Amino acid sequence: MDITRSTAADLAASIAAGEVSSVEVTRAHLDRIGAVDDKVHAFLSVDEDGALAQAAAVDARIAAGEQVGPLAGVPLALKDVLTQRGVPTTAGSRILEGWRPPYDATVTRRLLEAGVVILGKTNMDEFAMGSSTENSAYGPTYNPWDLSRVPGGSGGGSAAALAAFEAPLAIGTDTGGSIRQPAAFTGTVGVKPTYGGVSRYGQIALASSLDQPGPCARTVLDTALLHEVIGGHDPKDQTSLAAPVPAVVEAARHGDVKGLRIGVVRELGGEGYAPEAEANFHATVERLASLGAEVVEVSCPNFEYALAAYYLILPSEASSNLARFDAMRYGLRVGDDGTRSTEQVMALSREAGFGAEVKRRIIIGTYALSAGYRDAYYGSAQKVRTLVQQDFTAAFAKADVLVSPTTPTAAFGIGERLDDPMAMYLNDLCTIPTNLAGNSAASFPSGLTSDGLPLGFHVMAPHLADDRLYLVGAALERSLQDSWGGPLLDRVADLTAPATTATEVAR
Ligand code: GLN
């Protein structure tokens, strides 16, 4: 068995049956990281000793005849925005360089309790602000499909780790698309669960009313298995839903769309969308129709204003959340030489510790919340948020799921959009409405452009109907793999081959 090319489900079955040990599986992935991560830079830190110790503990439980969970012994890449006790956690920022949190996020704790092996922490845009991972203070991640391109963001590290076969499972967080857009750019699967479906406890907050951790993997079933491990009520998160995890694994195994009403959102397409992305989207809808789905058109007229509302609500919440980085209790401290006031030390530390995009959003958010402007900006944005929610409610009366392209284009070049925040923000046109409304959504691989870059198909489901995403995803995966003669990721570049492209040679 080719360990790093296997699915998480197959690895877990082989480990449980004693055919291979978790230590061997973990070792193989650590070796793969050693062989390719110089090129990809998916990881900010690799916890070799910790991972091997977790793996050995799983092996010992199995040897003792203990019944272990469905992902026990399988390695995972954790986005560096979630805390892991004693392990460096930076959220991609200088201001947290060297910080070792004293506690586990609930997601981290559930993974460890399930015997999932955490290989290391993945690269991301600073504080999850971005769509390319270029806003990381520690340098960008490169897209395994084409190393001259971005892997998307903010969770580019997690998505690239999957596509580079450095880990079969990964965790992301999605505030405006940071799980789904990187999934689309790397030909992997990413799910944003219903808001409150996965605990935010221990996730370094960006915008608390939008943030949602979620599962990422190379197959639909692996994503569902991971969703089930991390999901469910957590008393430590006040917005956690007191509801059982939707039957995602069952749906992923079932994968049937017969009779399912699929709503094509009229507003998510047309001008600004790459013709190839649109053609692929329509071909995918036709494929679902041929599998028995009923296709309807729906209109969500207020989606047009979602991006503008998001870029007021997110900075408002972020400016408040990021006030905690004051250099007093933990993190970077600059200029504390006994000659300066507390305020001066705070200002110097924040000046040195935050990158340009973070500062931009703190300034916008502080402005949007300031006396005299609050109603005009933040207040109006909240009204738009309600209208977007109403659009969803109306659309879900006509359709069981809604669909769109995940992104208007495939992965763009490193550096291409850095000088133009607006061009960067437009990546999330299709993904942001769900964060505003709080319902669930996913991106599934749906094909390649003529340049050989992956495209993603976006599926949105109502609150707590996350299982429908997996129903569609699994049906699509099976049908597409029949056409492709195997997984799309079989076609990703061989990263261990000598450098070929000019940019690669240059690096
Ligand atoms: N790209 C979006 C932003 O920059 C989404 C970020 C996210 O989901 N964390 O805000």
Side-chain angles (χ1 to χ4, degrees):
M1 125 194 252
D2 186 346
I3 291 177
T4 58
R5 296 241 156 199
S6 300
T7 67
D10 286 348
L11 287 173
S14 302
I15 292 167
E19 291 158 18
V20 63
S21 71
S22 174
V23 167
E24 284 172 81
V25 168
T26 302
R27 187 77 266 167
H29 285 92
L30 290 168
D31 289 348
R32 175 74 184 169
I33 293 170
V36 304
D37 210 50
D38 273 359
K39 290 181 183 165
V40 179
H41 193 224
F43 285 88
L44 289 177
S45 61
V46 177
D47 180 21
E48 180 160 341
D49 294 345
L52 288 169
Q54 291 159 31
V58 173
D59 288 337
R61 281 168 60 194
I62 292 169
E66 243 182 80
Q67 200 59 36
V68 292
L71 289 177
V74 180
L76 170 140
L78 185 62
K79 189 177 180 183
D80 204 29
V81 73
L82 287 147
T83 60
Q84 184 181 357
R85 191 191 173 108
V87 173
T89 300
T90 67
S93 182
R94 283 277 171 231
I95 212 158
L96 280 176
E97 193 168 8
W99 182 55
R100 289 174 189 260
Y103 71 108
D104 281 334
T106 295
V107 166
T108 307
R109 186 175 52 75
R110 288 190 178 165
L111 291 169
L112 293 172
E113 281 172 5
V116 175
V117 173
I118 301 177
L119 294 169
K121 308 298 289 294
T122 55
N123 198 14
M124 55 182 284
D125 287 298
E126 185 174 7
F127 288 109
M129 297 180 191
S131 302
S132 67
T133 314
E134 292 166 294
N135 292 338
S136 167
Y138 304 98
T141 296
Y142 301 90
N143 192 325
W145 287 86
D146 174 348
L147 295 171
S148 73
R149 292 177 191 261
V150 304
S154 65
S158 283
L162 296 171
F165 297 94
E166 295 171 283
L169 299 170
I171 297 289
T173 59
D174 193 309
T175 304
S178 284
I179 288 177
R180 292 164 285 162
Q181 184 253 16
F185 279 13
T186 57
T188 59
V189 179
V191 172
K192 181 199 97 67
T194 297
Y195 180 80
V198 176
S199 172
R200 292 185 294 108
Y201 178 77
Q203 174 184 348
I204 296 169
L206 170 53
S208 307
S209 77
L210 304 163
D211 293 344
Q212 185 54 214
C216 311
R218 289 190 293 261
T219 71
V220 176
L221 178 60
D222 285 358
T223 314
L225 290 165
L226 184 57
H227 191 148
E228 200 158 76
V229 165
I230 60 174
H233 182 245
D234 176 20
K236 288 181 171 157
D237 172 0
Q238 292 181 10
T239 57
S240 170
L241 296 168
V245 183
V248 292
V249 173
E250 203 183 299
R253 290 193 198 281
H254 188 57
D256 187 355
V257 292
K258 263 189 217 74
L260 199 75
R261 294 170 307 161
I262 296 198
V264 175
V265 182
R266 193 187 304 154
E267 288 78 8
L268 300 179
E271 208 191 318
Y273 289 69
E276 273 192 301
E278 288 223 274
N280 176 265
F281 169 70
H282 291 297
T284 310
V285 171
E286 269 165 42
R287 181 179 292 269
L288 289 169
S290 76
L291 296 172
E294 189 190 318
V295 179
V296 297
E297 199 188 63
V298 298
S299 174
C300 296
N302 295 294
F303 281 16
E304 194 188 327
Y305 312 108
L307 190 75
Y310 172 87
Y311 276 104
L312 288 167
I313 293 170
L314 178 137
S316 298
E317 293 188 25
S319 69
S320 159
N321 273 326
L322 295 181
R324 65 169 62 90
F325 299 104
D326 58 8
M328 293 297 118
R329 286 155 294 188
Y330 54 89
L332 184 75
R333 182 181 294 181
V334 174
D336 184 16
D337 58 6
T339 69
R340 294 189 174 87
S341 69
T342 303
E343 286 74 14
Q344 284 171 325
V345 172
M346 280 183 191
L348 286 173
S349 303
R350 286 166 69 84
E351 162 66 32
F354 288 143
E357 182 65 21
V358 175
K359 287 175 185 156
R360 179 180 300 130
R361 295 200 194 186
I362 290 175
I363 292 167
I364 294 172
T366 308
Y367 182 77
L369 289 177
S370 58
Y373 294 104
R374 190 178 185 281
D375 288 347
Y377 293 113
Y378 183 73
S380 306
Q382 290 291 18
K383 286 177 190 154
V384 170
R385 189 171 191 174
T386 303
L387 293 173
V388 168
Q389 284 161 353
Q390 288 171 354
D391 276 0
F392 270 116
T393 306
F396 284 129
K398 296 192 188 128
D400 302 306
V401 296
L402 306 182
V403 295
S404 74
T406 307
T407 52
T409 67
F412 47 92
I414 300 265
E416 216 173 87
R417 299 197 184 174
L418 267 184
D419 300 332
D420 187 351
M422 202 52 207
M424 199 64 100
Y425 296 172
L426 286 171
N427 268 286
D428 301 317
L429 222 45
C430 302
T431 50
I432 277 174
T434 18
N435 297 83
L436 290 175
N439 55 317
S440 55
S443 180
F444 302 106
S446 56
L448 297 178
T449 65
S450 48
D451 292 342
L453 297 170
L455 292 165
F457 186 72
H458 189 220
V459 186
M460 297 162 267
H463 282 85
L464 284 173
D466 309 28
D467 49 324
R468 290 185 203 166
L469 306 172
Y470 292 94
L471 219 49
V472 178
L476 198 59
E477 180 180 62
R478 200 180 308 134
S479 165
L480 284 169
Q481 291 196 8
D482 284 347
S483 310
W484 296 332
L488 193 64
L489 273 161
D490 279 357
R491 307 189 196 178
V492 76
D494 175 8
L495 296 164
T496 53
T500 44
T501 67
T503 37
E504 238 184 285
V505 175
R507 260 186 309 132

